[in-house]
Structures are given as C-alpha cells and as structure tokens.
C-alpha cells in the first residue's frame, strides 16, 4: 500500500471531505433536492482532488486514480441527468461508488508520471478514461433497465423510476458514445504508440483485453441495430464488454503496481 507523504495532508483532508459528501445521501435522510446538491458538491470536491493529483508538482496515475476519474465522470452525468429526470434513482449506488473510489485513490495514488512522456499522452489517456466513464454510465442504466423490466413483470408501481424505454434508449446512447471514444483510443494507440510510449504497438494483456472489449461492444451495437437486441440479451453483452475493458487497464495496472510492484506505461 502506498500512503501519501506528510506534504500531501491537504489532499487527505480534501479526499476525506469528498468521500463524506458522496456518502451523505446514503447515510443522512435528505430530500431529493438535497441529495442532488450533495452529489454536485462531491463532484466539485472530487474535481479539485483529481486536479491536485494529476496536475501537482509530482503528478501520479495508476489503477485507483483511473477508477476515481471514471466515477467522477459518472457523477457528472448523474448531476446533469438528475435535472432532466428527477425520478432517476441512483443515489445509493453513486454514494457507494464515489466514496469507495476516492478512498481507494487515497490509499493507492499510483506512480509518478515520467517527465519525458509525450505531450500527447494525457490526451490519449483522457480518451480512454472518457470511454471508461461512458461505458460505466451505460452499465448503470442497464441495471436500472433490468430493474424496470422486473417491476413490469411483477406489476409493481410503473411510475417508480424512469420508464423502461427511456432507460433502454439512454443505455445504448451511452454505449454508442463510449464505443466511438474507445475506437479513437485504440486507433491512436495503433498509429502513434511509438510517439506516445516510445515503442511500437505490442500485444500486451492491456491491448488484448482492450481489443476484445471493442469487439464485444461492436457486436452489441450491431445486434441492437440489426436484430433489435434488448433486455437481458443486450445487458449480458454490455456487462461482458465492460468487464473486459476494466481488466484492460485497471486490472493490468493493479497486477503490475500492487501484486508485482512494478511500474507500467
């Protein structure tokens, strides 16, 4: 485990405040408007925390900061969607994900970035992490979609949460946007890997899992377009692709950083 130095006490305080703000809707009885405000506050504090980590004197990155950025993007989408769809019910899950990701990033802040890294490397990472975030949002909506289907089967209150067709449409929109960014990330790596990382394209574990996830998402979107996939069939493909994508970077970095104790590009 890598603990921050004494000079980063402010980051520890900011991280604790961010985790508390994320957890507030789950542990304190708040009105829907109060819960949305707590999430927005947590999102702003989280942005400051990420900025201090990635843009500080010694910028760091690793598997836990990657998860933290992903959750921050999910929270950003929730903050916007909750204004458009007040009946969106994801506060509990977002509270757990947000607080957990922030605390994990405090415990495992990653490794210092090399000063000689390409100036385009942050853009490449941004594309990849943005695709992570969009697929994570798609997964959240898919879970809500399956819950809505179950409520319909059980003849439960049809007005609880977002309508099924709305959730289905949002799920595939986010999956489609994530697929575009993932395609751009892989294309940039294939064409400019030597400029970005100092070596030509290699079939590493990260590359293999990334390409596999891209293929799964491509089949998902093709199945939706040509065969009208929906419900559990579509969700299984989405969950499989998301799991492969999680293994591609976060899983590989976790093994290298924590289990093997080695640096990773």
């Amino acid at each position: 485990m890598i603990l921050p130095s004494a000079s980063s006490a402010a980051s520890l305080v900011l991280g604790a405040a961010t985790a508390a703000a994320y957890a507030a809707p789950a542990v304190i009885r708040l009105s829907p408007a109060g819960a949305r405000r707590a999430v927005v506050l947590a999102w702003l504090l989280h942005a400051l925390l990420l900025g201090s980590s990635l843009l500080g004197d010694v910028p760091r990155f690793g598997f836990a900061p990657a998860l933290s950025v992903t959750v921050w993007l999910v929270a950003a989408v929730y903050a916007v969607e909750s204004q458009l769809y007040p009946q969106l019910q994801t506060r509990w899950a977002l509270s757990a994900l947000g607080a957990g990701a922030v605390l994990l990033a405090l415990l495992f802040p990653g490794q210092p970035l090399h000063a000689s890294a390409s100036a385009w490397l942050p853009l490449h990472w941004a594309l990849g992490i943005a695709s992570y975030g969009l697929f994570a949002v798609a997964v959240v909506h898919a879970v809500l979609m399956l819950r809505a289907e179950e409520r319909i089967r059980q003849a439960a209150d049809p007005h609880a949460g977002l309508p099924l067709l709305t959730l289905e449409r949002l799920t595939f929109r986010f999956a489609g946007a994530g697929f575009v960014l993932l395609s751009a990330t892989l294309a940039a790596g294939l064409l400019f890997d030597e400029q970005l990382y100092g070596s030509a394209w290699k079939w590493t574990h990260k590359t293999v899992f990334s390409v596999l996830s891209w293929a799964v998402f491509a089949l998902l979107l093709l199945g939706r377009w040509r065969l009208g996939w929906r419900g559990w069939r579509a969700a299984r493909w989405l969950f499989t692709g998301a799991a492969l994508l999680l293994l591609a970077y976060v899983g590989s970095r976790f093994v290298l950083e924590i289990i093997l104790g080695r640096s990773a590009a």
Side-chain angles (χ1 to χ4, degrees):
M1 180 175 68
I2 304 173
L3 289 174
S5 63
S7 62
S8 61
S11 294
L12 285 173
V13 173
L14 182 58
T18 304
Y22 271 124
V27 299
I28 302 175
R29 189 182 297 274
L30 297 173
S31 66
R36 287 195 293 271
R37 285 194 290 269
V39 171
V40 171
L41 174 61
W43 181 81
L44 293 173
L45 292 174
H46 199 169
L48 291 175
L49 182 64
L50 291 172
S52 66
S53 173
L54 300 176
L55 304 176
D57 294 335
V58 184
R60 291 175 171 270
F61 202 69
F63 82 95
L67 284 176
S68 185
V69 175
T70 301
V71 172
W72 181 78
L73 291 171
V74 173
V77 172
Y78 170 81
V80 174
E81 276 198 319
S82 62
Q83 301 298 318
L84 301 174
Y85 307 106
Q87 67 272 46
L88 188 65
Q89 299 176 355
T90 58
R91 292 198 304 272
W92 285 80
L94 187 59
S95 295
L97 285 173
V102 168
L103 294 176
L104 192 65
L106 288 178
L107 292 174
F108 303 102
Q111 298 167 340
L113 299 180
H114 297 295
S116 59
S118 168
W120 293 102
L121 187 58
L123 177 59
H124 187 243
W125 281 356
L127 285 173
I129 296 300
S131 71
Y132 261 69
L134 288 169
F135 282 122
V137 174
V139 166
V140 171
H141 284 78
V143 171
L144 295 176
M145 177 184 69
L146 296 176
R147 288 175 55 188
E149 281 191 351
E150 188 64 24
R151 285 198 305 269
I152 292 175
R153 290 194 186 97
Q154 296 177 355
D157 181 8
H159 301 294
L162 285 178
L164 174 60
L165 292 180
T166 300
L167 288 168
E168 186 178 88
R169 184 170 61 252
L170 290 171
T171 298
F172 282 99
R173 282 181 179 176
F174 284 118
F179 180 75
V180 171
L181 291 183
L182 179 59
S183 300
T185 304
L186 292 177
L190 177 62
L191 297 174
F192 307 110
D193 219 37
E194 190 165 358
Q195 291 90 330
L196 290 170
Y197 297 103
S199 61
W201 174 281
K202 295 179 181 178
W203 285 99
T204 61
H205 290 86
K206 179 177 69 174
T207 305
V208 170
F209 280 121
S210 296
V211 172
L212 285 175
S213 68
W214 182 90
V216 169
F217 289 131
L219 289 173
L220 166 65
L221 296 174
L222 182 63
R224 169 67 173 180
W225 174 50
R226 300 287 298 186
L227 303 174
W229 284 358
R230 61 192 312 178
W232 264 109
R233 172 173 291 183
R236 287 191 189 97
W237 283 88
L238 177 61
F239 297 159
T240 300
L244 290 170
L245 188 59
L246 188 66
L247 289 173
Y249 185 82
V250 174
S252 299
R253 293 288 299 232
F254 176 81
V255 171
L256 287 171
E257 293 177 21
I258 306 305
I259 297 179
L260 300 179
R262 289 159 44 190
S263 62

